[in-house]
Amino acid sequence: MKRPPFLLAALLLAAPAAAQTNRHDSNAPIDFAADHIEVQDKANRAILTGGVAVRQAEMTVTADRMTLAYTGRIVDGSPQVSRLDAAGNVVVTRPDQVGRSQFAVYDLNKRVVTMVGNVRLVQNGNTSNGGRLTLNLDSGRAVLDGSSVGGGTGVSGTNGSGRVTGRFSVPKRDEPSAPTPQ
């Protein structure tokens, strides 16, 4: 049975991540740094701009701009964040993965990060490009497809064809030894 290329890439990318024994701690507090913050209490959100960096446990998200939506509940003196929307030069860094894109959404309730627009994922020396990447932080599964933002045709990084592209590394093999004379 012939598998579609994007499915094969997703399976190969997911294998090393699924083997992880430590899950992301999505209950850890979220620390942030930015050049500017605008808090909109009535809308239950904060807008961070200028070299934004957000860190939760071992995951860091950087972008030009982020909007943090919060529930309105205060926990340990801080608002409880439910969603993070990042735009512009987005980079998501985890211990074994680095994802880059134009936009990203981190849904803290679902524990899923979705990256869209010129996505590039580097994991364990393997690189893949596509239009949309979904990272499940509980399972470690990464699924990359050629979908484009807004249903348009082609996204830079997908060869304009809606296909996933990439390169996988090959393990180094020992040189065969010369035959021994008899």
Side-chain angles (χ1 to χ4, degrees):
M1 177 172 121
K2 188 172 180 180
R3 295 184 190 269
F6 70 89
L7 179 59
L8 180 60
L11 291 172
L12 291 171
L13 282 171
Q20 292 178 343
T21 56
N22 59 342
R23 294 176 14 185
H24 174 73
D25 182 4
S26 57
N27 292 319
I30 295 174
D31 297 314
F32 70 88
D35 292 340
H36 182 77
I37 182 171
E38 177 185 333
V39 177
Q40 300 174 347
D41 270 336
K42 289 185 180 184
N44 285 340
R45 70 178 166 225
I47 300 171
L48 306 168
T49 55
V52 183
V54 170
R55 182 169 178 85
Q56 183 184 43
E58 293 183 332
M59 181 174 72
T60 302
V61 181
T62 61
D64 296 336
R65 174 186 170 101
M66 287 189 210
T67 300
L68 281 71
Y70 49 91
T71 63
R73 289 187 51 208
I74 304 296
V75 177
D76 296 328
S78 299
Q80 191 175 40
V81 175
S82 59
R83 179 179 163 128
L84 184 150
D85 292 80
N89 301 308
V90 178
V91 179
V92 177
T93 305
R94 298 188 56 214
D96 66 340
Q97 298 171 323
V98 176
R100 297 178 186 278
S101 67
Q102 297 295 322
F103 306 97
V105 174
Y106 174 20
D107 184 326
L108 280 87
N109 295 322
K110 293 181 181 177
R111 296 174 174 88
V112 171
V113 175
T114 304
M115 303 179 77
V116 293
N118 199 23
V119 178
R120 173 178 292 253
L121 176 65
V122 177
Q123 179 175 334
N124 298 325
N126 301 317
T127 302
S128 295
N129 305 291
R132 180 177 59 201
L133 170 67
T134 304
L135 295 170
N136 182 311
L137 299 176
D138 281 342
S139 68
R141 184 175 180 204
V143 178
L144 182 64
D145 66 38
S147 299
S148 62
V149 179
T153 57
V155 171
S156 176
T158 61
N159 283 339
S161 65
R163 295 171 55 91
V164 175
T165 62
R167 173 170 284 178
F168 293 105
S169 60
V170 176
K172 301 288 185 218
R173 294 181 181 90
D174 293 333
E175 293 289 324
S177 58
T180 55
Q182 294 187 10

